[in-house]
Amino acid sequence: MIITTTPSVEGKRIVEYKGIAFGEVISGVNFVRDIAASLSNVFGGRSRSYEEELVNARENALREMEQRAMQMGANAVVGVDIDYEVLGADNGMLMVTASGTAVTVE
């Protein structure tokens, strides 16, 4: 499966558009990560725990988008966009959405 942010795949011809494929992940940030992040916030530096959670959520959203594109009969996804949102009463939830156009290329 080819996944790209560009509207086409260099050297390949799009022969069929299957539709929009989405992958969504909503991830809760746990208590331990909140404590580690708050220490980074006070003392400065990067929050490795939040970065890890963000990377995992992004990879899962892309994987879910890829699976949905395959179910549609696509062998590529073009024009991929990834969005990040914070949800919940205390902003304790992270939502990552990956979307793109599922296509068949030859």
Side-chain angles (χ1 to χ4, degrees):
M1 173 76 60
I2 298 169
I3 298 175
T4 181
T5 58
T6 60
S8 61
V9 178
E10 188 173 336
K12 305 275 186 186
R13 185 172 71 91
I14 295 175
V15 294
E16 187 177 6
Y17 289 85
K18 302 288 189 172
I20 300 172
F22 291 93
E24 303 93 358
V25 172
I26 298 176
S27 178
V29 182
N30 67 33
F31 177 71
V32 175
R33 288 191 178 171
D34 276 345
I35 291 173
S38 64
L39 290 175
S40 293
N41 192 31
V42 170
F43 297 110
R46 295 169 65 169
S47 172
R48 298 267 184 233
S49 58
Y50 277 173
E51 287 176 359
E52 231 176 74
E53 188 64 37
L54 184 62
V55 167
N56 289 336
R58 183 179 59 238
E59 288 173 356
N60 288 334
L62 285 167
R63 193 172 320 122
E64 186 175 300
M65 180 192 68
E66 179 181 9
Q67 290 171 351
R68 289 181 176 164
M70 287 189 320
Q71 290 171 351
M72 297 166 79
N75 64 0
V77 182
V78 297
V80 173
D81 181 54
I82 300 173
D83 291 314
Y84 303 90
E85 298 290 334
V86 180
L87 306 171
D90 296 330
N91 293 329
M93 304 290 285
L94 171 66
M95 180 175 72
V96 179
T97 304
S99 61
T101 305
V103 298
T104 302
V105 297
E106 60 177 25

